Amino acid sequence: MDDYKLLREQKAGSKAKGHHYMDLAFDREWGNITLVKTFFENFIISKMKSSEEVHKVGISVSELLENAVKYSSKNGVRIVIQNIKIGGIVKIRIYNYANEYHIKKLKTRLKEMRSMDSLDFYLYRMRESVKDKKASPGLGLARVYHEAQADITAKYHDNEKVVEVKATINLGK
Amino acid sequence: MGEIKAKPVSNSGIDMKATGTTVYISGSINHPRPGEFMEPFIQEAHESIVTNNIQEIKVDITNLKFLNSAGIRELVDWVMKLNHLPEEKKYKIEFLCSSEHKWQESSMSTLIYLNSNYLSKVTK
């Protein structure tokens, strides 16, 4: 069976006129994170003028992909970037296979995130990250929330077999 | 004045070394478990600073292009080691950052909040 089949079946927005749209699926390998991040950064550099905009998209791609690769319950990660345009509202969607434990953890993290502003949440996660060094740091979402000023949401598809994390970044801010 | 003694590290695209009272961290950290090589270096540097009663150090990250969140945790862990010292043993850390690497502005500014009496940041 195609590892990416269920990930590809999820609706991921569409390309708007005058905006760039990219949709990529790849194997769940750590080394692919930097390759994909660099690919998107180089693409975005060619379309945008500000290094701040490139950074916001790059850091979001990198941290969200790290989470997807770390927590995916089986092979396959899909990333879709929509509305790539100077000053636009970029939407980054990451899809991966999920298990019950990680969905529960993600829901908890997002609930915590919504109860604080981005700086407080990043500081809170920094302090939490060193309490158990054997556990994953759990800093990625906080970093995207604060550094990219992203609005982060999650959806769960196909009886929670697939998780979709969406970061919406207003590059005009 | 004492100097920081810590065995240099060169691993997975990152270099860490200490010269005088400055620690240099350079490269790009994307490793899934950077603590495996960052933590021993930081621990050794921290112990050396405390043993030699060094009051103030610099951490030069101007050539650190990227640090993933697992790497950020190692810096947080260093700050926590500092925070747990008795007041007379605490030392100041000045992070030397580069405006070229955008992650440094927001992440390092946030890190400073963990102990604003002893941590500071200068951006070149």
Side-chain angles (χ1 to χ4, degrees), chain A residues 30 34 37 51-52 55 59 62-63 66 119 122-123 126-127 129-130 132-133 135 137 139 143 146-147, chain B residues 30-32 35 39 66-70 72-74 76-77 80 102-104 106-107 110-111 113-114:
Chain A
W30 195 266
T34 304
K37 177 188 176 230
S51 57
E52 186 67 34
H55 166 66
I59 195 74
S62 178
E63 293 294 347
E66 277 199 15
L119 175 62
Y122 198 13
L123 274 169
M126 279 185 175
R127 291 189 183 102
S129 73
V130 293
D132 178 5
K133 295 263 328 254
L139 275 173
R143 196 175 185 191
H146 186 60
E147 284 199 27
Chain B
N30 299 296
H31 194 279
E39 206 276 336
F66 184 69
L67 183 63
N68 65 4
S69 53
I72 299 247
R73 168 161 73 175
E74 298 309 317
V76 174
D77 199 39
M80 292 304 168
K102 298 293 175 192
W103 69 268
Q104 295 185 358
S106 47
S107 276
T110 307
L111 189 82
Y113 280 108
L114 294 173

Side-chain angles (χ1 to χ4, degrees), chain A residues 48-130:
Chain A
M48 295 180 183
K49 302 280 183 276
S50 152
S51 57
E52 186 67 34
E53 292 180 328
V54 174
H55 166 66
K56 284 182 174 181
V57 176
I59 195 74
S60 304
V61 167
S62 178
E63 293 294 347
L64 297 178
L65 284 182
E66 277 199 15
N67 282 350
V69 169
K70 267 191 290 192
Y71 300 131
S72 184
S73 59
K74 60 179 189 169
N75 191 31
V77 174
R78 179 185 176 204
I79 177 169
V80 177
I81 306 195
Q82 192 186 354
N83 285 355
I84 304 168
K85 192 181 182 182
I86 294 170
I89 297 174
V90 172
K91 292 176 183 173
I92 301 169
R93 289 180 171 89
I94 311 271
Y95 298 86
N96 62 270
Y97 297 101
N99 64 40
E100 200 180 332
Y101 171 75
H102 288 121
I103 285 182
K104 195 178 164 191
K105 203 169 164 182
L106 176 61
K107 285 177 178 173
T108 305
R109 201 72 85 230
L110 290 172
K111 195 176 168 187
E112 287 171 348
M113 190 179 77
R114 289 194 193 95
S115 69
M116 298 176 216
D117 69 26
S118 68
L119 175 62
D120 285 345
F121 185 58
Y122 198 13
L123 274 169
Y124 165 71
R125 287 308 318 162
M126 279 185 175
R127 291 189 183 102
E128 289 295 306
S129 73
V130 293

Side-chain angles (χ1 to χ4, degrees), chain A residues 131-163:
Chain A
K131 286 184 177 170
D132 178 5
K133 295 263 328 254
K134 284 180 186 162
S136 181
L139 275 173
L141 287 179
R143 196 175 185 191
V144 174
Y145 184 36
H146 186 60
E147 284 199 27
Q149 288 293 297
D151 176 46
I152 305 169
T153 57
K155 281 184 182 173
Y156 311 94
H157 305 285
D158 290 273
N159 296 319
E160 301 200 331
K161 279 185 203 145
V162 172
V163 63

Side-chain angles (χ1 to χ4, degrees), chain B residues 103-121:
Chain B
W103 69 268
Q104 295 185 358
E105 187 53 42
S106 47
S107 276
M108 298 312 290
S109 297
T110 307
L111 189 82
I112 302 297
Y113 280 108
L114 294 173
N115 189 338
S116 50
N117 289 331
Y118 285 87
L119 306 176
S120 61
K121 177 174 84 70

Side-chain angles (χ1 to χ4, degrees), chain A residues 11-67:
Chain A
K11 287 182 184 170
S14 56
K15 183 191 176 317
K17 197 177 176 186
H19 295 67
H20 297 279
Y21 179 95
M22 303 185 87
D23 189 340
L24 185 69
F26 58 95
D27 278 4
R28 182 191 54 174
E29 290 171 9
W30 195 266
N32 285 341
I33 297 167
T34 304
L35 294 175
V36 173
K37 177 188 176 230
T38 306
F39 170 76
F40 279 112
E41 281 182 341
N42 286 337
F43 181 81
I44 290 161
I45 285 167
S46 73
K47 307 297 172 198
M48 295 180 183
K49 302 280 183 276
S50 152
S51 57
E52 186 67 34
E53 292 180 328
V54 174
H55 166 66
K56 284 182 174 181
V57 176
I59 195 74
S60 304
V61 167
S62 178
E63 293 294 347
L64 297 178
L65 284 182
E66 277 199 15
N67 282 350

Side-chain angles (χ1 to χ4, degrees), chain B:
Chain B
M1 193 178 177
E3 59 180 47
I4 306 167
K5 288 192 169 53
K7 194 179 168 195
V9 170
S10 185
N11 192 325
S12 304
I14 177 184
D15 288 295
M16 301 176 80
K17 65 176 183 181
T19 305
T21 55
T22 303
V23 167
Y24 295 87
I25 308 175
S26 58
S28 187
I29 302 177
N30 299 296
H31 194 279
R33 292 172 302 281
E36 288 173 4
F37 48 89
M38 287 181 78
E39 206 276 336
F41 175 85
I42 289 172
Q43 180 63 32
E44 198 181 347
H46 171 74
E47 285 171 7
S48 169
I49 294 161
V50 174
T51 305
N52 290 302
N53 287 314
I54 298 170
Q55 306 286 305
E56 194 167 339
I57 69 154
K58 293 183 195 306
V59 177
D60 186 332
I61 57 167
T62 51
N63 290 312
L64 185 57
K65 291 178 192 162
F66 184 69
L67 183 63
N68 65 4
S69 53
I72 299 247
R73 168 161 73 175
E74 298 309 317
L75 295 183
V76 174
D77 199 39
W78 189 355
V79 173
M80 292 304 168
K81 288 181 204 299
L82 167 65
N83 287 356
H84 290 138
L85 287 172
E87 202 60 34
E88 68 275 12
K89 288 282 182 187
K90 284 187 172 134
Y91 53 92
K92 289 187 173 175
I93 303 178
E94 183 179 77
F95 290 97
L96 306 177
C97 302
S98 165
S99 58
E100 271 184 48
H101 310 308
K102 298 293 175 192
W103 69 268
Q104 295 185 358
E105 187 53 42
S106 47
S107 276
M108 298 312 290
S109 297
T110 307
L111 189 82
I112 302 297
Y113 280 108
L114 294 173
N115 189 338
S116 50
N117 289 331
Y118 285 87
L119 306 176
S120 61
K121 177 174 84 70
V122 173
T123 303
K124 290 180 182 175

